[in-house]
Amino acid sequence: MKILVPGGAGYIGSHTVIELLERGYEVVVLDNLQKGHRKAVNDCEFVQADLLDKEKVNNILKQHKVDAVIHFAANSLVGESMERPDSYFRNNVVGGMNLLDAMRANDVKYIVFSSTAATYGEPENIPILETDPTIPKNPYGETKLTFEKIMKWYQEAFNMNFMTLRYFNVAGAHSSGKIGEDHDPETHLIPLVLKTALGIMDSIKVFGTDYDTEDGTCVRDYIHVMDLADAHILALQDMVTNRKSNVYNLGNGKGFSVKQIIDVAREVTGREIKTVNTDRRAGDPAVLIASSDKIQEGLKWKPKFHDINTIISSAWKWHSNNPDGFV
Ligand code: UFG
């Protein structure tokens, strides 16, 4: 089976590509390399293209005759989306529609889509269920939710199937040590904490210590990137075998505060990690924890790396061996 992976050179995309190849799938990565790394996808076909180039996207689908798409290509920073809603809607919604239209024109019926916990906004209940209200607090979450809705109507009208995976906080790296998380700029907690452990940064800022949580810092549900990769493949298989569409949360169902993450990182790295308490970061909900019961039951997904020490150790292996990322 041949899979097109837009955004396959990015963090989550490249880990999923390795897993697809290991399980015998043929893979074509499509990436504009604005954020992705060519070196992260050495073992499969690669086409450099932007989803906003509608004609090129259509030609790629025509040429490669893929059976399904796993779609990661998107802008994904909450803060940036507040300042540039225009580029978020253009890239994530218009670009995504170009992809869907090219799929339609070339009779490709299956798509797995990277969505986010940001579709829920400030949750009413913890853990969050897929049926809970979706009221995004930022343009990033809104663009992902919009695309989810578009896929639903494309299914009705054009008989296309989708699997939406709403990720919580993704971390960790592939066990080979060859690929890992490398964003520029980096904004995520775990890589920044580990850069501080390495001495690349002097200290890590703790955004807000007055939240209504046990230690006053935000609580998140961290999931290992390879468990996420596994979920994409299970979702793909279920969609193609049973011609089903669905929406699933992906997290471990357990929350860790910012302070707890820093403590675990101190333990894993054996280094001192200096912290500086600062104001809250705009748009951060206090607590985000997923219920992943639906995917555990429906697709028999079982996270292998749910322990937070294991997740941070695997990220540490990547960062300590590649302090400058992909060079
Ligand atoms: N944090 C700090 N200091 C930092 C960086 C982060 O204290 O230097 C805190 C944040 O305030 C937050 C937690 O660490 O409470 C985690 O922050 P991340 O930036 O690592 O992740 P987010 O929870 O903001 O983002 C994740 C996904 C997004 C998704 C969002 C939904 O990465 O794609 O959850 O809210 F949109």
Side-chain angles (χ1 to χ4, degrees):
M1 197 171 185
K2 194 166 182 180
I3 315 294
L4 180 76
V5 187
Y11 170 47
I12 302 169
S14 59
H15 285 78
T16 305
V17 166
I18 288 207
E19 199 59 24
L20 283 166
L21 293 171
E22 254 168 38
R23 297 194 201 180
Y25 289 89
E26 263 184 276
V27 176
V28 184
V29 166
L30 179 164
D31 202 294
N32 63 9
L33 295 182
Q34 259 172 29
K35 298 272 179 183
H37 303 279
R38 182 64 185 87
K39 285 186 181 160
V41 277
N42 281 327
D43 301 325
C44 61
E45 272 188 86
F46 177 84
V47 209
Q48 186 165 356
D50 194 301
L51 290 184
L52 291 177
D53 188 343
K54 194 169 182 167
E55 205 182 314
K56 192 164 178 182
V57 173
N58 195 30
N59 286 336
I60 291 166
L61 273 121
K62 196 177 286 171
Q63 189 194 336
H64 286 281
K65 307 213 179 317
V66 298
D67 302 290
V69 173
I70 304 186
H71 174 33
F72 296 96
N75 291 359
S76 61
L77 299 177
V78 168
E80 186 181 65
S81 79
M82 298 291 280
E83 281 155 31
R84 293 301 307 269
D86 54 329
S87 75
Y88 272 70
F89 276 92
R90 192 168 301 109
N91 289 323
N92 296 0
V93 179
V94 179
M97 285 189 71
N98 288 344
L99 176 65
L100 284 181
D101 288 336
M103 288 172 63
R104 214 183 124 209
N106 293 284
D107 208 27
V108 181
K109 299 272 188 207
Y110 304 105
I111 180 167
V112 181
F113 173 59
S114 293
S115 191
T116 169
T119 52
Y120 295 107
E122 194 74 55
E124 280 175 17
N125 306 308
I126 295 290
I128 303 171
L129 296 170
E130 290 82 352
T131 45
D132 282 349
T134 44
I135 310 167
K137 282 178 80 177
N138 51 62
Y140 168 60
E142 195 76 68
T143 61
K144 290 285 182 174
L145 186 63
T146 303
F147 194 72
E148 289 188 11
K149 291 179 180 169
I150 293 170
M151 289 191 305
K152 183 175 149 264
W153 293 112
Y154 270 53
Q155 164 174 274
E156 295 280 316
F158 309 129
N159 204 23
M160 293 167 81
N161 284 102
F162 63 85
M163 282 282 175
T164 288
L165 303 182
R166 293 182 181 151
Y167 318 152
F168 283 63
N169 288 62
V170 189
H174 192 259
S175 58
S176 66
K178 286 188 187 160
I179 59 169
E181 188 166 8
D182 178 11
H183 294 116
D184 185 17
E186 187 53 77
T187 61
H188 293 112
L189 180 66
I190 291 178
L192 291 175
V193 168
L194 298 179
K195 280 176 197 280
T196 310
L198 283 168
I200 298 170
M201 287 165 39
D202 289 340
S203 60
I204 177 80
K205 288 183 184 157
V206 176
F207 295 146
T209 51
D210 59 347
Y211 284 96
D212 188 14
T213 60
E214 216 159 286
D215 64 19
T217 65
C218 287
V219 170
R220 294 288 181 272
D221 181 347
Y222 294 87
I223 173 172
H224 195 286
V225 66
M226 292 312 296
D227 283 332
L228 202 60
D230 180 42
H232 283 79
I233 298 173
L234 291 176
L236 173 76
Q237 288 167 344
D238 187 58
M239 173 173 57
V240 173
T241 310
N242 302 316
R243 302 220 62 188
K244 268 196 194 152
S245 298
N246 226 324
V247 179
Y248 294 109
N249 284 341
L250 276 165
N252 275 312
K254 242 182 123 175
F256 293 91
S257 72
V258 173
K259 281 188 179 164
Q260 284 175 320
I261 292 292
I262 296 168
D263 282 339
V264 175
R266 286 184 178 126
E267 203 182 306
V268 164
T269 63
R271 311 258 174 114
E272 189 199 339
I273 298 171
K274 210 176 132 197
T275 60
V276 174
N277 295 343
T278 68
D279 288 345
R280 292 181 176 198
R281 184 174 69 177
D284 276 344
V287 180
L288 287 175
I289 300 173
S291 162
S292 295
D293 290 355
K294 185 177 170 188
I295 192 163
Q296 300 217 19
E297 279 158 29
L299 302 185
K300 307 288 169 236
W301 175 73
K302 232 182 157 35
K304 295 189 189 79
F305 311 105
H306 46 80
D307 177 69
I308 194 67
N309 283 64
T310 309
I311 294 175
I312 295 182
S313 299
S314 108
W316 177 237
K317 180 174 170 192
W318 159 256
H319 286 287
S320 51
N321 289 330
N322 304 273
D324 301 318
F326 291 97
V327 280

